[in-house]
């Protein structure tokens, strides 16, 4: 087992059973074949707290738990599931990581992140991100009734969709100056993230790459890392 799998932006919900089934099929097909699986955020369409447990979230947890019995699973929070906590992570058998996590493998320095912190030109979102990641804001939210949190999450999603209609693609993409700063500061060879839903391998210079993992809305998107380099793969969603 000499490879690593990376996924992000599945946006799992009970309303999209095709994405969930694609994820289940992926976990079964790749079981016990890799040294690690990294999930770079937005595993769920929304996550309002570990107390929101139902048959759907339990089924997802069990599938990841079964996979993690043979392969370590690591999770970095996204902008939709930053309230996912230790309790649910334990159900899944996955390890929570900080918002930027660096490893050395395949003779490369690799930096993983969700990627929303790179989108500096989306000033409105960055203000919300800075506030919502504070311990006091998360503590306050998790003290509120579950029904209130669900309604508030739905409001945020609706507001976000309206806001995006008025924003250019450049504003919602990463800021190149921030990419350069992060790469220089961390001295990473591979900067790997999701969030923008624009899968691609960007050559930064002769040795460094920014690799974007895609979303799962219309197909599964998987990044395979190995000694042969980085390879983006797509998975068909089931039709029935």
């Amino acid at each position: 087992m000499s490879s690593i799998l990376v996924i992000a932006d599945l946006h799992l919900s009970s309303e999209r059973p095709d994405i969930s089934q694609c994820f289940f099929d992926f976990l079964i097909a790749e079981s016990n074949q890799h040294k690690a699986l990294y999930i770079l955020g937005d595993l769920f369409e929304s996550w309002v707290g570990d107390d929101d447990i139902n048959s759907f979230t339990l089924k997802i947890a069990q599938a990841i738990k079964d996979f993690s019995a043979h392969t370590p699973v690591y999770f970095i929070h996204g902008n939709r599931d930053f309230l996912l906590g230790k309790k649910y992570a334990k159900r899944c058998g996955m390890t929570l990581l900080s918002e930027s996590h660096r490893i050395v493998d395949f003779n490369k320095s690799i930096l993983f992140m969700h990627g929303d912190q790179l989108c500096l030109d989306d000033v409105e979102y960055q203000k919300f991100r800075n506030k919502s990641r504070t311990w006091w804001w998360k503590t306050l939210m998790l003290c509120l009734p579950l029904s209130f949190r669900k309604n508030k999450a739905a409001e945020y999603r609706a507001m976000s969709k309206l806001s995006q209609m008025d924003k250019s693609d450049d504003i919602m993409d990463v800021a190149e100056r921030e990419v350069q700063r992060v790469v220089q500061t961390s001295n990473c060879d591979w900067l790997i993230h999701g969030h923008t839903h624009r899968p691609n391998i960007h050559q930064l210079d002769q040795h460094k790459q920014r690799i974007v993992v895609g979303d799962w809305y219309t197909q599964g998107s998987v990044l395979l890392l190995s000694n042969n380099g980085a390879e983006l793969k797509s998975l068909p969603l089931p039709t029935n």
Side-chain angles (χ1 to χ4, degrees):
M1 294 184 288
S2 58
S3 55
I4 289 175
L5 294 171
V6 187
I7 57 176
D9 301 292
L10 284 76
H11 294 268
L12 297 175
S13 75
S14 58
E15 297 174 357
R16 287 294 305 270
D18 54 338
I19 300 178
S20 301
Q21 189 58 55
C22 186
F23 181 50
F24 295 146
D25 294 343
F26 160 75
L27 291 177
I28 293 172
E30 302 296 342
S31 179
N32 201 25
Q33 295 189 46
H34 308 274
K35 64 171 69 175
L37 167 65
Y38 285 82
I39 304 174
L40 305 186
D42 285 6
L43 175 64
F44 290 95
E45 177 68 6
S46 69
W47 189 267
V48 296
D50 289 4
D51 55 339
D52 186 15
I53 295 299
N54 51 57
S55 59
F56 175 74
T57 56
L58 286 175
K59 188 175 181 180
I60 299 297
Q62 187 61 56
I64 300 175
K65 181 77 170 180
D66 292 343
F67 184 90
S68 71
H70 305 286
T71 306
V73 179
Y74 302 98
F75 180 83
I76 292 179
H77 294 98
N79 54 294
R80 298 294 188 95
D81 51 21
F82 58 87
L83 289 178
L84 193 152
K86 295 179 180 178
K87 189 173 182 179
Y88 189 74
K90 186 176 181 180
R91 284 183 183 270
C92 297
M94 61 187 185
T95 301
L96 298 179
L97 302 177
S98 61
E99 65 176 26
S100 296
H101 183 76
R102 179 179 175 273
I103 67 170
V104 176
D105 209 335
F106 315 119
N107 294 315
K108 302 285 186 180
S109 172
I110 307 171
L111 186 66
F112 297 105
M113 59 175 58
H114 177 59
D116 56 336
Q117 62 265 63
L118 299 172
C119 302
L120 294 187
D121 293 329
D122 192 346
V123 177
E124 180 184 9
Y125 169 72
Q126 290 300 328
K127 288 181 179 178
F128 171 75
R129 186 184 191 280
N130 291 337
K131 177 182 70 173
S132 62
R133 299 308 190 273
T134 57
W135 68 268
W136 61 265
W137 191 93
K138 290 189 286 187
T139 300
L140 175 62
M141 286 299 294
L142 292 174
C143 287
L144 296 171
L146 179 59
S147 58
F148 177 89
R149 279 178 272 147
K150 286 183 175 181
N151 290 334
K152 185 61 66 174
E155 287 179 15
Y156 279 137
R157 291 198 301 276
M159 291 170 57
S160 176
K161 288 181 180 179
L162 287 175
S163 176
Q164 288 176 13
M165 293 175 64
D166 297 326
K167 295 176 181 177
S168 68
D169 290 343
D170 289 341
I171 287 178
M172 293 187 290
D173 202 356
V174 301
E176 290 300 330
R177 65 186 184 281
E178 181 65 4
V179 170
Q180 293 175 10
R181 187 194 69 79
V182 169
V183 170
Q184 291 173 1
T185 302
S186 64
N187 194 29
C188 64
D189 300 302
W190 288 342
L191 170 59
I192 300 175
H193 68 85
H195 181 66
T196 63
H197 300 189
R198 301 176 184 186
N200 204 350
I201 298 179
H202 302 270
Q203 198 71 39
L204 303 179
D205 62 26
Q206 186 177 357
H207 304 289
K208 300 181 184 298
Q209 294 176 321
R210 177 171 70 89
I211 307 169
V212 188
V213 188
D215 65 82
W216 287 49
Y217 283 133
T218 58
Q219 61 182 16
S221 182
V222 180
L223 173 64
L224 178 69
L225 305 177
S226 70
N227 286 317
N228 295 323
E231 180 185 2
L232 283 167
K233 298 184 174 184
S234 60
L235 308 173
L237 296 182
T239 54
N240 356 347

